[in-house]
Amino acid sequence: MTSSPSGRGGSGADAQRRIRRNRWLFTAPLVLLCVLGAVLVWEIVRGNVPEASRTQWPWRLELMSAEPLASLLAVSAGAVLARAQYARTVRPALGWRSEYVAGQLPGTSKAWSVGVLNGGQHNVVVDHVDYRLVLAGDPPDEPGHEPRWTGLAGIGERLAGAGLRATVDFRLVGMGAGYPLVATGTYETVAVGVFSKRFIDEVRSFYMRIQVVDSVGDTHERIIQCLEGAREAVVAPVEEPPPVTVASPGPPAARTARRSGPRRA
């Protein structure tokens, strides 16, 4: 069994990241705070200008008196900080888990099963899921190459073209937009797919990119390498040896007759 650090950890492309913030719940309070800060700077500069100059333009422009400005600035700063703290509280912790299991695909061999989980404290909703496939015979990506992502139907067509059969060599589970990833507080996962040994031999990498939206409207993303660890010896499946059949000996009389042989006259 292999697993990855959930959510706040990970390394490289496997790490969870926030890709988009809710513009109304994040941008609007921040813009208001910046505007009030600019008004405060204007009023401070204007208050230090000589009295005679305040009768001339633009120094005679008074935007807001100091008392309500200070109150609004404090409220806006508090709203921005509270929103940032709450966003950290409801942030999901997306992780994955994989292991060899039996009975998921036809045949007696064990298959590589992958599942995803939300280890955070609050539920999230799936916004988008897509996939990326690299076959064993594909050339390596060039530096700066933009990976090509596709949906479940596109992946099925590529795998069928490679001779891999659904429900025999692999089985994928679709998650559409709006699917909730419940914060269970346990390590119970939602199935992503099951892959046979033939699939692991003929596919170099199989990536799943999942994007979810949390309670404050922020969008988080994690890219899962579904075959990571499948070729490691430390997680190799333990297959039961085939039963050994031993030929049962014949009846005692027959053994005695064969042993003694025919008598000579």
Side-chain angles (χ1 to χ4, degrees):
M1 178 185 66
T2 62
S3 61
S4 72
S6 351
R8 304 162 210 261
S11 60
D14 186 55
Q16 175 183 315
R17 61 194 183 98
R18 183 189 291 110
I19 61 173
R20 188 165 51 251
R21 297 182 187 268
N22 185 292
R23 72 183 136 170
W24 295 113
L25 297 179
F26 175 78
T27 308
L30 196 59
V31 169
L32 179 60
L33 180 63
C34 294
V35 170
L36 292 176
V39 172
L40 177 63
V41 171
W42 170 261
E43 292 298 331
I44 291 175
V45 173
R46 181 176 174 274
N48 288 276
V49 170
E51 188 69 28
S53 300
R54 291 185 209 169
T55 59
Q56 301 176 4
W57 187 261
W59 302 115
R60 64 180 180 181
L61 176 63
E62 182 179 359
L63 298 176
M64 188 178 295
S65 57
E67 291 78 8
L69 177 59
S71 300
L72 287 175
L73 195 60
V75 170
S76 299
V80 171
L81 292 176
R83 197 271 181 195
Q85 179 62 36
Y86 184 67
R88 288 188 61 86
T89 302
V90 303
R91 182 173 61 177
L94 300 177
W96 58 268
R97 180 180 177 183
S98 55
E99 60 182 330
Y100 279 103
V101 295
Q104 297 294 320
L105 291 175
T108 58
S109 298
K110 294 184 177 181
W112 183 252
S113 177
V114 182
V116 65
L117 68 125
N118 173 24
Q121 301 180 11
H122 294 75
N123 300 340
V124 294
V125 176
V126 173
D127 181 61
H128 188 70
V129 177
D130 46 13
Y131 305 88
R132 178 169 164 267
L133 177 70
V134 182
L135 297 174
D138 291 347
D141 294 337
E142 298 179 358
H145 172 73
E146 185 69 22
R148 181 182 177 185
W149 297 90
T150 183
L152 203 60
I155 285 295
E157 293 175 358
R158 275 205 75 190
L159 290 174
L164 296 170
R165 298 166 295 171
T167 71
V168 176
D169 299 313
F170 68 94
R171 183 166 57 85
L172 296 175
V173 180
M175 284 186 287
Y179 181 82
L181 281 181
V182 181
T184 60
T186 64
Y187 291 102
E188 184 178 358
T189 62
V190 176
V192 170
V194 184
F195 312 99
S196 67
K197 292 183 178 178
R198 182 191 172 194
F199 186 99
I200 297 171
D201 292 337
E202 299 191 12
V203 175
R204 185 191 309 161
S205 302
F206 183 67
Y207 298 92
M208 171 188 176
R209 182 173 65 180
I210 181 171
Q211 298 175 356
V212 299
V213 180
D214 63 15
S215 302
V216 295
D218 293 346
T219 304
H220 304 263
E221 175 186 281
R222 183 151 198 189
I223 299 175
I224 301 170
Q225 215 295 53
C226 296
L227 301 185
E228 183 176 351
R231 302 178 180 90
E232 300 293 336
V234 292
V235 294
V238 179
E239 304 288 357
E240 296 183 0
V244 179
T245 57
V246 180
S248 58
R255 294 202 310 270
T256 305
R258 285 196 301 267
R259 189 183 309 116
S260 59
R263 293 185 177 181
R264 295 182 180 180

